[in-house]
Amino acid sequence: MESAKPIIFTNWVSEINTGTGHPIDTSFSRYVGINAVIAPHPLGAHNWHPMAYNPILGLVYIPAQESSNVYGKVKDWEFFDDGKSWNTGTGYNPDNPDYRDSLANQWN
């Protein structure tokens, strides 16, 4: 791997180890005892949106979506699979404080 630079704001990882491909976590990635606004959203920065290439300029245009999600630890949480939902196993605990970084605060 030559490089792995973010294309949108990302706060759960500081960088990617180019030797192993593993992310280097930040404090946002472990949200213990807090509710954390983590970016990007589980859908990521780029999904189905089609890319474009300009052969004259030699540029590739990659559409991106800027998004975040609040994660936390819910008291007495139990997994419930209704067969229709997407459950990441996390939730929002109103008893815990929200933990947001300076850029996430601009969005809310």
Side-chain angles (χ1 to χ4, degrees):
M1 175 186 308
E2 260 183 59
S3 71
K5 306 277 189 226
I7 61 172
I8 65 163
F9 171 67
T10 303
N11 65 1
W12 69 271
V13 63
S14 61
E15 63 183 305
I16 301 293
N17 180 320
T18 55
T20 64
H22 292 202
I24 309 297
D25 295 347
T26 67
S27 60
F28 281 84
S29 63
R30 298 290 175 240
Y31 51 91
V32 177
I34 60 171
N35 296 308
V37 178
I38 298 178
H41 187 273
L43 294 176
H46 177 75
N47 199 335
W48 63 270
H49 310 97
M51 297 186 296
Y53 174 68
N54 183 325
I56 296 169
L57 298 176
L59 295 175
V60 174
Y61 298 88
I62 303 173
Q65 52 193 16
E66 295 262 358
S67 57
S68 61
N69 209 33
V70 178
Y71 293 88
K73 302 280 186 183
V74 177
K75 289 189 265 181
D76 304 323
W77 180 85
E78 290 184 34
F79 178 74
F80 172 72
D81 184 7
D82 63 2
K84 301 180 282 185
S85 302
W86 180 32
N87 193 325
T88 61
T90 62
Y92 183 81
N93 184 348
D95 295 335
N96 289 336
D98 283 353
Y99 183 53
R100 302 165 188 260
D101 65 4
S102 59
L103 289 176
N105 283 332
Q106 295 176 22
W107 298 328
N108 297 310

